Amino acid sequence: MDFNVKKLASDAGVFFTRAVQYTEEKLGQAEKTELDAHLENLIARADCTKNWTEKIFRQTEVLLQPNPSARIEEFFYEKLDRKIPSRTTNAELLGQYMQDAAKEFGPGTPYGSTLITVGEYQRRLGGAEREFLQTSAINFLTPLRNFLEGDWKTISKERRLLENRRLDLDVCKARLKKAKLAEAKAALWSEEVDKAEHELRVAQTEFDRQAEVTRLLLEGISSTHVNHLRCLHEFVEAQAAYYTQCHKHMQDLQKELSSANGDTFPNAFAVNASTSGVSAGPSPLSTATLPGASPPSRPPNPSNALESSTLKIEEVKPPATGTRKAKVLYDYDAADTSELSLLADELITVYTVPGMDPDWLIGERGNQKGKVPVTYLELLS
């Protein structure tokens, strides 16, 4: 291999000189050319942009792919410029397991048929998640990565070059100062002063040119912010579309399960009501629990003949065991004396009695008692 010994020696000399100069600047023994305030502000803004973009990028990667091993695998695929293999989402895998289990249990059984239904919706949820991950990676992660691996590397390179030009300029200033001091002692040094002044003018020109190049690149950070803002909007839209799809799938699943299992499970809240009236089971998921959702429509008044003929609120006694606390989600105005008016966020005691409509519970607040709609409550464990 052909080495340029002179160039190697020259580079080593420059490196040593700059190392000495850095040390003297830190110790306050050498003058340092300061950048103008505008350029300093641009540099500080660029550093801030880079640091926060890197943090947002890394955390978004964790959000989209929590598995660190999978992230490392995807990183190597990207570096090798190879296509990342399609990965089954956890929801899709769960849906497949449920459908496989249904085949073993018997698809004609209530449990087996329900597993098939739930498994299909889990696979739909997984498909929606896959689409969200792909959209977010393209519209949000890729622009952030392009900035960190492209634009920022160019800016860093030009900033290093600017710093070298500044050091060269300071060396020329120090050399001229030294030559002028020597000139004062001997006229023979006038030629050395001319040479130092020429070198200073060249160094100053190169420094000014590099400062302008760096300034133009740093001012482009504003365009980067605009681009990242647009990408952020696209990320939020993709996230909103994903959660909307998930919500719709779960609502459809609830309706399908309700219609399929209505005869088998008439009241999900009441368990073994004929013997003890124990209320066990979480409240069903509904749009009433979603932030910003409007109150659900008033359930129809019980039309059950048994309840209307035999249930008298004043005679209803709470069971010995099985009462639960419930949080009121929305204000509710009683339609008649058999119902209990509710205020949002208050806590009441609820229970059910044999023969009662599944959309209603008995609610107690102090000495007050009456029927309350299930959809206005969040049952607490």
Side-chain angles (χ1 to χ4, degrees), residues 154-187:
T154 302
I155 291 173
S156 299
K157 177 183 175 182
E158 297 299 331
R159 283 177 61 182
R160 287 193 299 269
L161 192 55
L162 175 63
E163 183 65 11
N164 291 337
R165 294 288 180 265
R166 183 193 67 78
L167 292 172
D168 293 341
L169 177 61
D170 289 341
V171 167
C172 291
K173 288 180 178 179
R175 189 176 297 150
L176 178 60
K177 184 177 181 181
K178 182 178 179 181
K180 286 185 175 181
L181 289 174
E183 184 186 32
K185 296 180 181 180

Side-chain angles (χ1 to χ4, degrees), residues 3 15 46 128 138 169 285 329 348:
F3 285 102
F15 175 79
I138 294 173
L169 177 61
L285 177 65
L329 299 175
I348 62 173

Side-chain angles (χ1 to χ4, degrees), residues 9-252:
S10 176
D11 291 343
V14 170
F15 175 79
F16 178 75
T17 301
R18 286 173 177 166
V20 172
Q21 190 174 353
Y22 263 124
T23 304
E24 290 178 346
E25 286 179 356
K26 293 295 183 182
L27 297 176
Q29 298 175 356
E31 294 183 5
K32 177 181 177 182
T33 299
E34 299 293 341
L35 303 176
D36 64 83
H38 177 60
L39 189 55
E40 290 283 7
N41 290 336
L42 290 176
I43 290 175
R45 186 175 183 228
D47 288 336
C48 181
T49 300
K50 182 261 181 182
N51 292 335
W52 283 111
T53 299
E54 198 168 41
K55 289 181 180 180
I56 293 172
F57 175 79
R58 299 302 176 199
Q59 193 57 39
T60 305
E61 279 190 321
V62 174
L63 172 68
L64 300 180
Q65 179 50 268
N67 188 341
S69 299
R71 292 202 302 273
I72 294 175
E73 180 182 348
E74 292 174 359
F75 172 78
F76 281 114
Y77 272 104
E78 290 173 359
K79 292 303 178 183
L80 295 173
D81 198 19
R82 297 179 60 183
K83 183 180 179 181
I84 301 175
S86 178
R87 198 186 305 275
T88 303
T89 63
N90 291 327
E92 288 176 316
L93 190 59
L94 175 60
Q96 185 61 50
Y97 285 169
M98 286 183 172
Q99 292 181 335
D100 291 344
K103 296 176 183 177
E104 294 288 336
F105 299 149
T109 64
Y111 185 35
S113 62
T114 303
L115 278 174
I116 291 176
T117 302
V118 176
E120 176 58 31
Y121 277 93
Q122 290 298 327
R123 298 181 71 169
R124 294 182 188 179
L125 290 172
E129 181 184 2
R130 181 194 303 278
E131 182 180 350
F132 165 63
L133 296 179
Q134 293 174 347
T135 302
S136 299
I138 294 173
N139 294 340
F140 190 60
L141 279 183
T142 299
L144 298 185
R145 183 187 293 110
N146 289 342
F147 168 73
L148 294 172
E149 297 181 357
D151 296 347
W152 183 252
K153 287 188 175 181
T154 302
I155 291 173
S156 299
K157 177 183 175 182
E158 297 299 331
R159 283 177 61 182
R160 287 193 299 269
L161 192 55
L162 175 63
E163 183 65 11
N164 291 337
R165 294 288 180 265
R166 183 193 67 78
L167 292 172
D168 293 341
L169 177 61
D170 289 341
V171 167
C172 291
K173 288 180 178 179
R175 189 176 297 150
L176 178 60
K177 184 177 181 181
K178 182 178 179 181
K180 286 185 175 181
L181 289 174
E183 184 186 32
K185 296 180 181 180
L188 297 176
W189 282 83
S190 60
E191 188 175 317
E192 190 69 23
V193 171
D194 292 340
K195 181 181 177 182
E197 288 178 343
H198 173 71
E199 291 178 350
L200 177 60
R201 285 193 296 271
V202 172
Q204 184 70 56
T205 301
E206 292 181 351
F207 172 77
D208 292 341
R209 183 186 302 115
Q210 186 58 38
E212 181 65 17
V213 171
T214 306
R215 181 184 64 79
L216 292 174
L217 285 173
L218 293 174
E219 287 177 347
I221 291 293
S222 297
S223 300
T224 299
H225 285 190
V226 173
N227 182 41
H228 288 181
L229 175 61
R230 176 182 57 81
C231 296
L232 181 59
H233 277 283
E234 293 178 354
F235 174 65
V236 172
E237 289 175 5
Q239 209 169 19
Y242 166 61
Y243 287 123
T244 300
Q245 278 185 294
C246 291
H247 184 221
K248 183 179 183 303
H249 288 324
M250 294 310 298
Q251 280 188 318
D252 293 342

